């Protein structure tokens, strides 16, 4: 029995593990922990790898990053975490640094699962190497930042092998209140849908570079400000809400008309600070979407409202999750939400309705590995990314853009510098 078969045979990841006595649970972990290699030791990567470590049988055994300081911070963090969980610290030979770190991690025989948490521009390149290695892959959203990357990702999706599991980081779908209301909406609780309203308003990100950074390093450290590295706010951040809308409607938008711009942000990047997009879905259902990144205030709100013939649904990150009308319903289980003040969390670890989104996302993914009921979420991830790119193109060109036009345009973004300088 090889390691992959052994992992599959050792069923019942997180939920089952909790039922085992500690001694047996430790034995299970020691024999069959999914060995995780984290690529990109930043805010989100650390939060998700923490969640894997604490909520599943996965164990962080390897780290990779472009920058030495990020790798060192990751090592110190995960050595402490592993020690607190009774696990070994990270072996020095499983620390990879530089522009080829992703290839070295992919080549390692000591890793079962690669978690890709690098800036969006690199996701497709890193996904390609990780999928080719035959390892399981957890890749952050957005899978792609332009159409040609989206096409590449679709080709990579075809190369996912049987027994290999690939998830994309849309954890909001796994938040218990959101999963519960989605089930009702999909079962027709609202009747025929008339329209949808969505929004994502959040504070802007501060400068994250050090004063000695070269121009290229400055861009890399502040990738959230940079169109090529991030895909702009609609593709990088607002994608969570547009992905939820696609999922709830069971469709992708056919076309988009948009406007927006950069009215208040003065940082060095070229991302916009606001978008207003009218997405048209099949059956002439419109999603009226708006987003703004504004200053450094604490105010934050993101969510969707759906209006139907027999009711409406409110699906916010924070606040009541409910259906009004003929099939009125409200999420009541406070054990599955953690009260917060509705504040923005740059690492995606939100409180309130999303409090357990990561935990449940990670558990479901590890279960897919240990049971052999594998996932391949790349195509769905590309569809959500392309939906956002269509809104972005409509905004930049200030006109209506159809799905076909987006694909025919084949937009391609370039980094404009050589990563080799960071060897
Ligand atoms: N799902 C969510 O809710 C959520 C929340 C926040 C961020 N994210 C996503 O997670 C990803 C990472 O975001 P973050 O906030 O952690 O960013 P970050 O800047 O904090 O971390 C990125 C890390 O990647 C490293 N890196 C950069 N280029 C690299 C390369 N070519 N090879 C190897 N390492 C490289 C950086 O040094 C840094 O350590 C992004 O795709 C972002 O969109 C998702």
């Amino acid at each position: 029995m090889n390691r992959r078969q052994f992992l599959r045979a050792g069923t019942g990841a997180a939920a089952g593990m909790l039922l085992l006595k500690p001694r047996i649970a430790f034995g299970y972990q020691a024999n069959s922990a999914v060995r995780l290699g984290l690529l990109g030791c930043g805010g989100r990567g650390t939060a998700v790898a923490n969640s894997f470590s604490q909520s599943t049988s996965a164990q962080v055994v390897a780290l990779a990053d472009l920058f030495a300081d990020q790798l060192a911070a990751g090592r110190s963090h995960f050595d402490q975490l592993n020690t607190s969980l009774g696990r070994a610290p990270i072996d020095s030979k499983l620390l990879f640094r530089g522009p080829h770190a992703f290839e070295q991690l992919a080549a390692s025989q000591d890793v079962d699962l690669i978690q890709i948490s690098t800036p969006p521009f690199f996701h497709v390149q890193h996904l390609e190497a990780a999928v080719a290695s035959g390892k399981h892959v957890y890749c952050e959203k957005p899978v792609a930042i332009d159409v040609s990357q989206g096409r590449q990702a679709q080709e990579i999706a075809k190369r996912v092998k049987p027994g290999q599991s690939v998830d994309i980081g849309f954890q909001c779908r796994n938040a218990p209140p959101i999963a519960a209301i989605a089930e009702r909406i999909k079962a027709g609780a609202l009747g025929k849908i008339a329209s949808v309203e969505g929004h994502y308003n959040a504070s802007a990100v501060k400068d994250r570079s050090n004063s000695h950074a070269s121009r290229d390093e400055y861009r890399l450290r502040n990738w959230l400000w940079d169109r090529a590295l991030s895909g702009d706010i609609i593709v990088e951040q607002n994608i969570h809400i547009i992905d939820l809308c696609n999922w709830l409607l069971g469709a992708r938008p056919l076309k988009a008309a948009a406007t927006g711009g950069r009215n208040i942000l003065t940082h060095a990047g070229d991302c916009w600070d606001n978008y207003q997009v009218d997405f048209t879905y099949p059956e002439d259902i419109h999603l009226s979407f708006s987003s703004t990144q504004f200053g450094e205030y604490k105010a934050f709100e993101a969510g969707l409202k759906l209006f139907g013939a027999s009711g409406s649904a409110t699906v916010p990150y924070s606040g009541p999750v409910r259906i009004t009308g003929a099939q009125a319903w409200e999420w009541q289980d406070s054990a599955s939400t953690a009260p917060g003040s509705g504040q923005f969390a740059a690492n995606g670890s939100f409180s309130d309705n999303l409090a357990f989104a990561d935990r449940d996302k990670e558990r479901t993914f590890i279960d897919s590995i240990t049971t052999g009921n594998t996932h391949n979420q790349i195509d769905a991830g590309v569809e959500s990314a392309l939906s956002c790119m269509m809104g972005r193109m409509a905004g930049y060109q200030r006109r209506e853009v159809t799905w076909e036009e987006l694909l025919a345009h084949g937009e391609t973004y370039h980094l404009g510098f050589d990563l080799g300088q960071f060897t």
Side-chain angles (χ1 to χ4, degrees):
M1 189 185 272
N2 64 25
R3 183 171 174 85
R4 188 172 300 283
Q5 290 162 332
F6 180 77
L7 282 176
R8 200 176 301 154
T11 55
M17 250 178 65
L18 294 175
L19 299 174
L20 298 173
K21 289 180 188 161
R23 191 176 56 77
I24 303 171
F26 182 75
Y28 172 84
Q29 285 181 315
N31 291 331
S32 62
V34 174
R35 300 168 304 173
L36 186 152
L38 169 61
L39 175 58
C41 307
R44 180 63 181 163
T46 303
V48 171
N50 262 358
S51 175
F52 270 118
S53 299
Q54 285 167 337
S55 307
T56 79
S57 64
Q59 175 173 349
V60 178
V61 299
L63 299 173
D65 203 286
L66 183 63
F67 293 119
D69 60 325
Q70 293 290 99
L71 189 63
R75 180 182 205 178
S76 154
H77 176 88
F78 286 105
D79 277 353
Q80 274 182 39
L81 180 69
N82 282 353
T83 303
S84 74
L85 295 171
R87 297 168 173 174
I90 293 169
D91 190 326
S92 300
K93 75 174 196 303
L94 294 179
L95 293 170
F96 306 105
R97 192 201 65 76
H100 297 289
F102 73 100
E103 289 161 329
Q104 293 163 332
L105 180 63
S108 170
Q109 295 302 306
D110 297 308
V111 171
D112 305 304
L113 158 63
I114 295 181
Q115 179 193 320
I116 300 172
S117 299
T118 46
F121 180 86
F122 303 110
H123 287 176
V124 165
Q125 183 187 33
H126 295 167
L127 183 67
E128 179 153 44
V131 166
S133 76
K135 301 182 196 336
H136 306 289
V137 188
Y138 183 100
C139 179
E140 265 306 338
K141 42 50 62 175
V143 184
I145 54 96
D146 62 26
V147 172
S148 62
Q149 284 195 356
R151 288 213 171 92
Q152 262 177 280
Q154 285 165 334
E155 289 306 310
I156 296 167
K158 294 179 195 156
R159 300 200 287 269
V160 172
K161 298 174 189 69
Q164 192 176 15
S165 208
V166 184
D167 257 23
I168 305 300
F170 289 117
Q171 78 276 13
C172 301
R173 294 187 184 199
N174 291 81
I178 293 180
I181 199 168
E183 201 178 311
R184 286 165 175 79
I185 294 169
K186 285 160 177 277
L190 308 182
K192 183 172 167 28
I193 305 284
S195 70
V196 187
E197 183 270 330
H199 54 275
Y200 200 121
N201 301 312
S203 45
V205 192
K206 293 180 188 162
D207 190 340
R208 304 198 298 184
S209 68
N210 59 57
S211 53
H212 310 297
S214 65
R215 185 180 173 277
D216 299 341
E217 182 181 337
Y218 183 85
R219 280 185 62 203
L220 280 167
R221 301 264 186 188
N222 285 311
W223 64 265
L224 274 159
W225 294 351
D226 191 288
R227 278 185 196 177
L229 282 160
S230 71
D232 209 333
I233 63 170
I234 190 166
V235 175
E236 194 279 325
Q237 181 178 62
N238 309 159
I239 192 169
H240 281 296
I241 296 299
I242 292 156
D243 174 70
L244 282 180
C245 187
N246 285 6
W247 183 51
L248 293 173
L249 295 181
R252 60 158 175 82
L254 305 173
K255 57 185 181 178
T259 185
R262 188 172 149 123
N263 291 336
I264 54 169
L265 293 185
T266 53
H267 61 55
D270 53 3
C271 288
W272 278 7
D273 58 32
N274 72 95
Y275 275 89
Q276 295 76 39
V277 191
D278 175 35
F279 287 104
T280 306
Y281 283 78
E283 299 182 33
D284 207 28
I285 298 172
H286 287 250
L287 162 63
S288 172
F289 177 79
S290 69
S291 81
T292 307
Q293 281 197 359
F294 57 108
E296 292 172 7
Y297 310 107
K298 297 279 181 217
F300 168 68
E301 51 175 352
L304 283 168
K305 287 182 181 173
L306 296 93
F307 304 92
S310 50
S312 68
T314 311
V315 191
Y317 273 27
S318 181
V321 177
R322 65 176 159 228
I323 292 175
T324 59
Q327 295 187 38
W329 170 88
E330 182 163 342
W331 178 258
Q332 299 288 357
D333 181 6
S334 58
S336 298
T337 54
S341 52
Q343 286 185 5
F344 180 64
N347 67 0
S349 298
F350 293 96
S351 57
D352 296 307
N353 299 324
L354 296 191
F356 297 100
D358 282 325
R359 179 198 69 183
D360 287 10
K361 170 84 179 169
E362 273 80 275
R363 284 184 178 173
T364 307
F365 181 52
I366 295 299
D367 279 351
S368 81
I369 295 170
T370 55
T371 62
N373 295 320
T374 52
H375 299 169
N376 183 348
Q377 299 183 345
I378 299 176
D379 282 334
V382 171
E383 190 169 278
S384 292
L386 287 171
S387 303
C388 297
M389 289 175 214
M390 186 165 67
R392 180 182 65 191
M393 183 179 280
Y396 289 171
Q397 299 188 9
R398 288 200 158 64
R399 67 181 182 91
E400 188 174 89
V401 173
T402 65
W403 188 265
E404 291 70 28
E405 275 180 286
L406 173 78
L407 296 186
H409 186 282
E411 56 169 3
T412 306
Y413 284 65
H414 299 282
L415 195 55
F417 61 85
D418 181 9
L419 267 194
Q421 66 188 290
F422 300 105
T423 300

